[in-house]
Amino acid sequence: MLADRIRKIPSRYAHFVFGGIQSGLTSAVAAAVASLNYLTSGTFLTHWLASWLMAWILVLPVVIAAAPAIRALVVRFTDNEEF
């Protein structure tokens, strides 16, 4: 099976994988919203891709750096009790 042959990223890098996925998704949505005006001109996709790439480059280091502090705040504000 192909999934068995694909080498996985070591779990010690999970923080970076999470940050990459989270920042990519967030910046993609934000860039799409910011690019909505380009739907009528037919240049939405090119504008969105350029905006998304720039946003992702800028947001990725912020997410990687802020994630531990955010995680610590979440632990402080939440209860470990299950429903």
Side-chain angles (χ1 to χ4, degrees):
M1 189 167 169
L2 181 60
D4 294 334
R5 290 185 280 166
I6 295 175
R7 188 169 175 188
K8 292 185 176 182
I9 298 168
S11 61
R12 66 180 176 267
Y13 300 115
H15 172 75
F16 298 105
V17 174
F18 176 86
I21 293 169
Q22 192 274 332
S23 64
L25 179 61
T26 302
S27 59
V29 171
V33 170
S35 300
L36 284 176
N37 292 340
Y38 294 93
L39 277 173
T40 57
S41 67
T43 59
F44 172 80
L45 186 60
T46 55
H47 189 271
W48 172 76
L49 281 172
S51 298
W52 170 74
L53 184 59
M54 180 60 73
W56 195 22
I57 289 169
L58 294 171
V59 171
L60 180 59
V62 173
V63 169
I64 296 294
I70 294 169
R71 198 171 288 122
L73 284 172
V74 169
V75 168
R76 288 185 85 179
F77 295 147
T78 59
D79 191 356
N80 206 11
E81 188 176 308
E82 294 290 326
F83 285 98

